[in-house]
């Protein structure tokens, strides 16, 4: 009996007396499983399609859209002292054939105000001829500095277009820079030459297309990428017009 006890003690004090400890328990205790969650980054677009915009003057009715002169006269009849007269897209399209509008606008833009500029003589002005406000809220319900993100002015300027086409020297910033310009450079966007002028309050982009000069002003809080995105692709304003029955 004593011999058996001594033999058992000797085996427990061998080279690895605890070597088998845990063998049985490891058969039923598994490694903990750590769950992981993969987060997919959400990319917020800088610009959205102009098709998403609501036009504040689309409800203006003009029965003379088949006659450009009569259309302008009807707009002029609404004048209240200012050359800038609220006008619908249809009226502006008739008065200024071929006029374009950006295919994209800054994300957050919701509304457009549209105006035809008419001189006291009753004729459409040359510079500017039309103006569009890009708003994050319904036009004039909030201050321009808060809700009017950008302003696009369009001028009839065939003379300058012809002059630039005939020029032998590269275009310069001197043509449009003034004392309010802090910085000016000429860039290429979508194959189009664009003057980029930075000053107090925001950035102005200027370019030519067909017989029109476009001047796009974006307030300083607007991302430059969004402003450049507006200038990159232009479409005929008439393309945004509802098809008339």
């Amino acid at each position: 009996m004593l011999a058996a006890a001594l033999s058992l003690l000797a085996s427990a004090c061998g080279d690895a007396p605890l070597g088998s400890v845990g063998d049985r328990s490891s058969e039923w205790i598994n490694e903990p499983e750590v769950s992981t969650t993969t987060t997919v980054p959400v990319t917020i677009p800088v610009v959205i399609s102009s098709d998403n915009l609501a036009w504040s003057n689309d409800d203006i009715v003009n029965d003379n859209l088949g006659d450009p002169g009569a259309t302008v006269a009807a707009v002029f009849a609404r004048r209240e002292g200012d050359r800038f007269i609220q006008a619908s897209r249809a009226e502006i399209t008739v008065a200024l054939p071929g006029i374009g509008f950006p295919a994209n606008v800054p994300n957050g833009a919701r509304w457009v105000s549209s105006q035809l500029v008419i001189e006291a003589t009753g004729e459409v002005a040359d510079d500017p001829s039309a103006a569009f406000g890009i708003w994050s809220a319904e036009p004039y319900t909030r201050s321009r500095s808060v809700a009017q993100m950008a302003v696009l002015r369009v001028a009839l300027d065939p003379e300058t277009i012809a002059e630039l086409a005939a020029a032998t020297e590269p275009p310069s910033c001197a043509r449009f820079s003034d004392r309010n310009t802090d910085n000016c450079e000429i860039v290429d966007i979508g194959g189009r030459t664009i003057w980029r002028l930075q000053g107090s309050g925001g950035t102005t982009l200027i370019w030519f297309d067909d017989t029109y000069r476009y001047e796009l002003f974006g307030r300083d809080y607007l991302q430059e990428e969004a402003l450049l995105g507006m200038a990159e692709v232009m479409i005929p304003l008439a393309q945004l017009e509802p098809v008339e029955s």
Side-chain angles (χ1 to χ4, degrees):
M1 191 74 173
L2 177 61
L6 291 174
S7 175
L8 179 61
L9 178 63
S11 65
C13 296
D15 294 336
L18 302 178
S20 63
V21 175
D23 285 351
R24 185 181 299 264
S25 62
S26 66
E27 295 177 0
W28 57 272
I29 299 178
N30 297 321
E31 292 295 328
E33 294 184 3
V34 179
S35 60
T36 59
T37 301
T38 302
T39 302
V40 178
V42 177
T43 302
I44 300 176
V46 176
V47 295
I48 59 175
S49 171
S50 296
D51 291 335
N52 297 317
L53 296 173
W55 291 70
S56 62
N57 290 323
D58 266 4
D59 58 350
I60 294 177
V61 176
N62 190 326
D63 296 326
N64 303 290
L65 296 178
D67 183 338
T71 296
V72 172
V75 176
F76 186 66
R78 298 196 295 267
R79 182 178 181 178
E80 297 180 352
D82 194 341
R83 294 192 311 155
F84 290 75
I85 306 172
Q86 301 296 329
S88 68
R89 287 182 288 176
E91 291 173 324
I92 294 175
T93 299
V94 171
L96 300 170
I99 187 173
F101 191 82
N104 299 300
V105 292
N107 192 3
R110 295 292 180 268
W111 288 83
V112 183
S113 58
S114 50
Q115 300 165 321
L116 194 61
V117 187
I118 303 179
E119 302 288 4
T121 58
E123 297 178 336
V124 176
D126 288 339
D127 191 5
S129 304
F132 305 92
I134 314 298
W135 301 73
S136 60
E138 187 173 354
Y140 314 113
T141 60
R142 303 185 67 186
S143 68
R144 285 184 172 87
S145 60
V146 173
Q148 192 182 67
M149 307 170 72
V151 177
L152 176 66
R153 294 193 174 196
V154 186
L156 275 167
D157 197 357
E159 294 82 6
T160 302
I161 293 175
E163 181 183 336
L164 290 171
T168 56
E169 298 292 331
S172 70
C173 277
R175 178 178 294 276
F176 298 113
S177 296
D178 57 28
R179 60 186 179 85
N180 296 317
T181 302
D182 296 330
N183 181 57
C184 175
E185 61 179 332
I186 298 176
V187 296
D188 182 282
I189 300 176
R192 182 186 294 118
T193 299
I194 294 184
W195 285 258
R196 178 168 58 187
L197 294 79
Q198 295 176 311
S200 59
T203 300
T204 299
L205 303 181
I206 301 175
W207 69 93
F208 296 86
D209 195 357
D210 196 15
T211 59
Y212 297 107
R213 183 180 76 247
Y214 296 86
E215 297 189 15
L216 176 63
F217 170 76
R219 299 196 184 277
D220 51 10
Y221 62 77
L222 187 65
Q223 293 186 51
E224 184 177 22
E225 186 179 354
L227 195 64
L228 296 175
M230 290 183 68
E232 185 174 7
V233 181
M234 298 288 288
I235 58 176
L237 181 60
Q239 186 171 317
L240 293 172
E241 277 292 311
V243 177
E244 295 194 12
S245 57

